[in-house]
Amino acid sequence: MISAQTLSGIADTFGTPVFVYESDVLTQRAADLRDLGDGELEVFFSLKSNPNASIVAALRQNGVRAEVCSLAELRTAELAGHQPQDIIFLGPGKTDRELRACVTTGVYAVVVESFDELARLDALAKSMGCVQDVMLRVNPELSTSGSRLSMAGKPRQFGIDESQLRELSALPEYKGVRVMGVQAYLGTRILDADVVLQHTRYILRMAEELAVQFGFDLDAVDVGGGLGVPYFEGEQSIDLFAIHEPMRQLLRGFRGRHSQTRLILEAGRFLVAESGHYVTRVVSTKSSKGRRFAICDGGTNHHMAAVGIGSFVKRNFPLRSCAAGAVDNWTLTGPLCTPNDTIGSKVSLSGIEVGACVVVDASGAYGPTASPGRFLSHGFPAEVLLVDGEAVLIRRRETVEDILSGQILFTSTTKKEERHVA
């Protein structure tokens, strides 16, 4: 792990708050997933976890493809050098504009989430004189333990219920789309490797059965992903080595029956979380009713995940100080006018004083991308990639001018001809 001294130096150079990512960790995580599939699984990076183009490009250089969920993410994947055959597009709320962009770009597959979406895409592609390949996203009947958030086995906005598909004798006739695969995603933040194996086995079997039922070519099966990383005390890293041999046997058995099928594994958090570090600086300290507070220049506006988004129980992400000195218990907060802006509660840290830097580790996933960066108009932080010991700026800090640039001032004296701005 990158040292606190190095992070403090980067903070001095680029200012705070700042996200710092380690490229060698990205390389190692990509290798871990290649080893899991023994070359049979193609890894697709979920850009929603970190859509920085330089991160996407670094993963692409390590053989990782792209899974996108918006037009901006699609363009980011292209900017990072991905070819259309290595991009899939999924998500429950695709607009017609996004679907047209998929067809025009020629993405490998659109993962359709409902019969309505399938019909819309069919009509759009026909009107464009094209046929778009699609995978059916299935909401499986299987509901498992072992994931921090189950994505199947209950009513969801994602996918078509497996039970609905099982009741059909045939899919409607389509001219603008070609059903050629199945995708399913059963859970997220999985730390039990046996659960990953169980999910993969279920999805492969289900995909085979649906392909026979509806008579389509099984060109691709996306077994989802959801591999987690340990954030909190008591959690352990997922032991992928423990399932290497049974996973290899499972995939080779499937490959023996479907030699040309593309096998896809999605990964977001697992690839990027432990590569990232959020560095923020103490701007004020105080005591209140016996508790010591350190107020920092960044908090939930940049790193909502670290303060418990999606969790019933708020627990501290791994935290460390960049300064030596006396050790005390501190509650770390950000600059926002809400008591929810708490980075860490009652954390034992050294050298906390005005000007000291604090690091939130395991921060490479769902930082700026899942945070209210414009709350109180502080703007989004800088992002830095550490490559072979060199710190490179990969996103500049958002300025006040950036925040104001999209606004159009209207007052009672605004001329009528100035009111209608495209």
Side-chain angles (χ1 to χ4, degrees):
M1 180 184 292
I2 185 173
S3 71
Q5 290 72 25
T6 299
L7 289 170
S8 181
I10 292 173
D12 289 342
T13 300
F14 295 97
T16 56
V18 61
F19 279 90
V20 182
Y21 310 106
E22 299 178 76
S23 63
D24 58 344
V25 176
L26 301 175
T27 297
Q28 182 59 57
R29 292 297 172 268
D32 292 340
L33 293 185
R34 285 198 303 272
D35 291 344
L36 170 65
D38 204 24
E40 297 289 351
L41 284 172
E42 293 186 55
V43 181
F44 278 63
F45 175 53
S46 301
L47 266 71
K48 59 182 171 286
S49 63
N50 191 323
N52 188 292
S54 295
I55 298 295
V56 180
L59 289 168
R60 182 187 61 78
Q61 291 167 357
N62 284 280
V64 178
R65 323 303 191 202
E67 173 244 296
V68 303
C69 297
S70 69
L71 180 56
E73 287 189 357
L74 173 59
R75 299 306 180 221
T76 300
E78 292 180 298
L79 175 64
H82 282 291
Q83 298 302 306
Q85 66 268 21
D86 289 329
I87 302 173
I88 60 174
F89 195 115
L90 54 78
K94 305 179 191 71
T95 65
D96 285 355
R97 183 186 180 195
E98 288 170 332
L99 292 175
R100 287 192 187 94
C102 288
V103 177
T104 301
T105 303
V107 299
Y108 175 69
V110 176
V111 180
V112 294
E113 308 261 355
S114 67
F115 290 117
D116 170 75
E117 184 177 276
L118 192 58
R120 283 199 298 123
L121 179 56
D122 176 57
L124 280 170
K126 280 192 298 187
S127 71
M128 299 167 68
C130 300
V131 177
Q132 174 63 53
D133 284 348
V134 303
M135 287 191 280
L136 301 176
R137 177 165 183 173
V138 182
N139 179 19
E141 290 301 297
L142 176 68
S143 181
T144 64
S145 60
S147 63
R148 279 16 183 208
L149 175 61
S150 175
M151 303 288 280
K154 59 185 68 177
R156 292 289 189 195
Q157 69 267 45
F158 310 109
I160 304 168
D161 290 348
E162 181 183 352
S163 58
Q164 291 178 317
L165 289 168
R166 298 290 193 184
E167 293 170 357
L168 297 177
S169 58
L171 293 173
E173 291 290 333
Y174 298 110
K175 301 293 186 182
V177 296
R178 183 180 77 96
V179 177
M180 41 65 76
V182 170
Q183 187 262 10
Y185 194 97
L186 283 89
T188 187
R189 284 210 61 222
I190 299 168
L191 295 176
D192 185 343
D194 287 334
V195 173
V196 176
L197 183 64
Q198 180 186 6
H199 287 186
T200 304
R201 181 179 293 112
Y202 186 95
I203 294 167
L204 291 176
R205 183 176 64 250
M206 179 181 66
E208 287 183 296
E209 292 171 355
L210 291 175
V212 170
Q213 178 180 342
F214 297 122
F216 60 80
D217 295 329
L218 195 58
D219 290 352
V221 180
D222 183 338
V223 299
L227 281 71
V229 299
Y231 288 123
F232 308 118
E233 186 176 350
E235 293 184 339
Q236 299 296 322
S237 298
I238 187 169
D239 184 6
L240 295 180
F241 182 77
I243 61 168
H244 182 269
E245 184 58 30
M247 180 67 80
R248 183 175 65 175
Q249 293 178 6
L250 174 64
L251 296 178
R252 286 186 175 179
F254 181 89
R255 179 69 70 208
R257 300 186 298 276
H258 305 278
S259 61
Q260 301 303 312
T261 301
R262 196 172 185 182
L263 295 175
I264 294 171
L265 173 70
E266 299 171 18
R269 191 190 316 272
F270 182 84
L271 285 168
V272 297
E274 293 179 312
S275 77
H277 313 272
Y278 179 60
V279 188
T280 182
R281 195 180 299 276
V282 177
V283 296
S284 178
T285 63
K286 59 170 287 186
S287 295
S288 175
K289 298 188 181 299
R291 290 177 64 180
R292 295 178 65 81
F293 287 83
I295 296 90
C296 303
D297 57 8
T300 54
N301 51 325
H302 301 154
H303 202 340
M304 182 68 85
V307 296
I309 184 173
S311 301
F312 292 106
V313 179
K314 290 188 177 183
R315 294 175 287 178
N316 295 328
F317 263 46
L319 287 153
R320 52 184 167 136
S321 171
C322 291
V327 176
D328 208 335
N329 283 338
W330 292 89
T331 293
L332 302 172
T333 76
L336 306 182
C337 299
T338 167
N340 292 327
D341 187 21
T342 302
I343 306 169
S345 180
K346 301 178 182 178
V347 187
S348 181
L349 293 171
S350 64
I352 295 300
E353 60 183 18
V354 173
C357 285
V358 177
V359 181
V360 186
D361 290 316
S363 295
Y366 302 105
T369 187
S371 303
R374 292 289 182 89
F375 191 21
L376 265 66
S377 298
H378 282 292
F380 286 96
E383 295 179 67
V384 170
L385 182 64
L386 193 63
V387 184
D388 297 328
E390 180 183 1
V392 180
L393 185 68
I394 59 173
R395 188 190 298 273
R396 65 176 178 81
R397 187 177 314 282
E398 196 170 37
T399 66
V400 172
E401 290 73 25
D402 294 328
I403 295 171
L404 294 175
S405 64
Q407 299 187 38
I408 300 170
L409 178 64
F410 172 81
T411 70
S412 59
T413 59
T414 302
K415 295 179 181 178
K416 187 173 183 179
E417 61 269 20
E418 295 176 350
R419 297 180 184 181
H420 302 286
V421 180

